[in-house]
Amino acid sequence: VDLPATLRLGPKAVVGGDVTTVGGEAVIDPAATIRGKVDTAVVVWPEVEWGVGWPMGNWSGWWALGALSATGLRLSLVLVVSLLLTVLVPGWIRSMGVRASSAFSSGLLGAAAEILFIPVLIALVVTLVISIVGIPLLGAIPLALALGALAWTGGFAAVAVCLGARLRGSSIATSSSLVSDLLIGFVAITGLTIVAHVISLGPGWMTPVGWMTRAAGLAIEYVGWTIGLGAALSGRFVRSNGMPPLPVQSTTF
């Protein structure tokens, strides 16, 4: 029976006791016989809101929680890969970090690569499709993209190491604790992004402070990734200027 229901008593109805309705309406014909009293109870259903700061009924809270979870997963994956590269190939990370210290040139090269990436990729695919001999090489494009993503992550790790070393008052060329520098720099680059997503769990994301925090966090991350891409590419396209080899340093804490 669906609630609330309506009780209807016709003119021939005979009730030997009381008539009570809970949450519904009683429609009683005046000719009906009721020997007791008539009571009508009203039921108030509570309105339950789910979520942190916002009712989950309008999906705002779920969207903010999902965005925070996705960002946390993405940054965790980047951090794990960056740590592995820093431990396994510290010389490569250090050399890219030295190039990343020239933020303007590396950033300019990285921005140019970001702009030209899609046109160059499309031109490459079209060229391989047109040339019958190049069609088998299309299968190598996903592998090349994966290796490029790995190199880009290494460049981002180098930027974090370079920034961490500077925050510790050192330089990446002489630092003996690349892992510590990586952790410090990584938090400095991505910390504002995490704070922005935490703010989005409450109503504060609609305020100017919430929007400015999110925009600033994305901008800092974008600059770090762009400089890292330029540092990774400059190792291929920019020849060494005769800088002496860097001393071998430990990558432990």
Side-chain angles (χ1 to χ4, degrees):
V1 178
D2 294 333
L3 295 177
T6 300
L7 173 65
R8 301 181 183 274
L9 297 178
K12 297 181 179 180
V14 177
V15 179
D18 299 334
V19 175
T20 304
T21 60
V22 180
E25 181 183 2
V27 180
I28 302 174
D29 192 280
T33 301
I34 301 177
R35 296 187 174 88
K37 58 182 180 178
V38 179
D39 292 328
T40 301
V42 179
V43 176
V44 179
W45 298 97
E47 181 180 353
V48 180
E49 291 185 350
W50 303 87
V52 182
W54 285 95
M56 287 298 186
N58 60 9
W59 298 101
S60 297
W62 289 116
W63 179 265
L65 186 60
L68 175 61
S69 301
T71 300
L73 180 61
R74 174 179 64 85
L75 294 180
S76 298
L77 180 61
V78 172
L79 179 59
V80 169
V81 175
S82 298
L83 284 171
L84 289 176
L85 292 176
T86 303
V87 172
L88 297 177
V89 283
W92 182 49
I93 297 297
R94 190 188 299 275
S95 63
M96 284 193 296
V98 172
R99 296 192 295 271
S101 61
S102 301
F104 179 78
S105 58
S106 296
L108 191 62
L109 178 60
E114 292 169 347
I115 295 173
L116 297 175
F117 173 74
I118 297 298
V120 170
L121 181 62
I122 294 176
L124 177 62
V125 172
V126 171
T127 302
L128 293 178
V129 170
I130 293 176
S131 62
I132 300 178
V133 179
I135 292 179
L137 297 178
L138 290 174
I141 291 181
L143 178 60
L145 292 177
L147 293 176
L150 182 63
W152 195 356
T153 305
F156 178 79
V159 172
V161 172
C162 182
L163 178 60
R166 290 189 177 183
L167 292 177
R168 291 198 308 118
S170 180
S171 68
I172 189 172
T174 59
S175 175
S176 61
S177 183
L178 295 184
V179 173
S180 298
D181 294 335
L182 171 66
L183 295 177
I184 295 173
F186 188 87
V187 171
I189 295 174
T190 64
L192 196 58
T193 299
I194 295 295
V195 171
H197 280 284
V198 172
I199 291 177
S200 69
L201 293 177
W205 76 281
M206 292 292 293
T207 64
V209 174
W211 282 109
M212 290 174 62
T213 304
R214 292 171 66 87
L218 291 175
I220 293 174
E221 268 202 84
Y222 171 76
V223 171
W225 281 103
T226 302
I227 295 175
L229 178 60
L233 291 176
S234 62
R236 293 290 181 181
F237 302 110
V238 179
R239 301 187 63 179
S240 174
N241 56 1
M243 183 182 65
L246 299 173
V248 178
Q249 302 288 347
S250 172
T251 58
T252 58
F253 292 95

